[in-house]
Amino acid sequence: TLRFIFNRLLDAANSIILYSPLMIDDIEKLRVNIDRSKIVIIKNAVDIQRFRPRNNKIGNTILYVGRIHPLKGIENIIIAVSDIIKNNSTVKLIVVGLVESKKYFQTLKQLTVKLGCEKNVNFVGPVPNESIIQYYNSSKVFVLMSLTEGIPRSILEAMSCGIPVIATPVAGIPDVIKHGINGF
């Protein structure tokens, strides 16, 4: 089984690299009695000279950057946006990322139609890294509703651009986002 292979790999590894100490619990769920001396924490980082605030916020844009996959919880963002536009029809959601699950992508598209927010949701697709800064700097808020995560670089990039971040408190995200202080 995969668990057996995973455990053999952990036993054979010289080091286990994690993004956050908060991820240790997730690893221990898969491998009891893990050798904690093998664990090395290397936090994600971004180039703050490149990812920095610029004054070109356009409209009321909510941004998601990441894979289009069921583990990312994008349907929850769409549901929230559909509620928001009832009071403010100018709000737009921009979804940037590679479609990894075509079935999930179709489900998301159908959900926008069902909720009547298809005109407010724009699926951009993948964007070259050198162009992503424009999306961060033209958005009012960044949202990530992942069900599982490490420490997503997209959160760090958004924060570096001065955008408020709303994210689920999974894995290493609470290591970066302090609720009510630098995000929600």
Side-chain angles (χ1 to χ4, degrees):
T1 69
L2 287 175
R3 176 170 262 177
F4 174 78
I5 293 169
F6 181 75
N7 284 328
R8 295 292 299 247
L9 288 171
L10 286 177
D11 290 341
N14 293 330
S15 296
I16 301 164
I17 299 172
L18 302 175
Y19 296 130
S20 163
L22 298 174
M23 297 172 74
I24 295 171
D25 289 343
D26 292 336
I27 296 296
E28 287 183 329
K29 288 176 187 171
L30 299 169
R31 175 72 169 121
V32 181
N33 299 325
I34 195 165
D35 181 357
R36 283 183 171 233
S37 68
K38 290 183 176 184
I39 296 175
V40 177
I41 306 297
I42 301 177
K43 295 189 177 197
N44 261 344
V46 296
D47 180 351
I48 60 172
Q49 296 303 317
R50 200 166 151 245
F51 290 92
R52 59 186 170 82
R54 291 176 177 88
N55 294 326
N56 56 351
K57 305 286 185 242
I58 302 169
N60 292 319
T61 304
I62 298 168
L63 178 66
Y64 164 85
V65 175
R67 303 178 292 137
I68 311 299
H69 188 280
L71 290 175
K72 295 299 187 172
I74 301 166
E75 69 277 7
N76 297 320
I77 303 171
I78 292 170
I79 292 167
V81 166
S82 74
D83 285 340
I84 293 168
I85 64 171
K86 291 174 185 170
N87 296 318
N88 185 346
S89 64
T90 66
V91 171
K92 304 283 184 206
L93 169 63
I94 296 179
V95 179
V96 175
L98 178 69
V99 175
E100 288 192 355
S101 169
K102 290 180 183 178
K103 182 179 179 184
Y104 181 63
F105 179 67
Q106 288 306 316
T107 300
L108 294 175
K109 296 285 276 182
Q110 291 168 357
L111 181 61
T112 64
V113 172
K114 177 183 174 188
L115 297 174
C117 62
E118 67 272 18
K119 292 178 181 168
N120 299 73
V121 178
N122 183 9
F123 293 95
V124 175
V127 170
N129 190 267
E130 60 272 3
S131 301
I132 196 69
I133 298 166
Q134 296 165 353
Y135 285 94
Y136 287 121
N137 279 299
S138 64
S139 299
K140 294 276 178 133
V141 66
F142 179 86
V143 180
L144 186 76
M145 296 288 111
S146 294
L147 305 176
T148 182
E149 221 23 282
I151 297 179
R153 190 174 65 227
S154 59
I155 284 178
L156 301 175
E157 291 170 348
M159 291 174 76
S160 187
C161 289
I163 304 169
V165 174
I166 300 170
T168 47
V170 296
I173 293 175
D175 211 24
V176 176
I177 303 292
K178 304 301 179 210
H179 182 69
I181 297 171
N182 66 348
F184 301 93

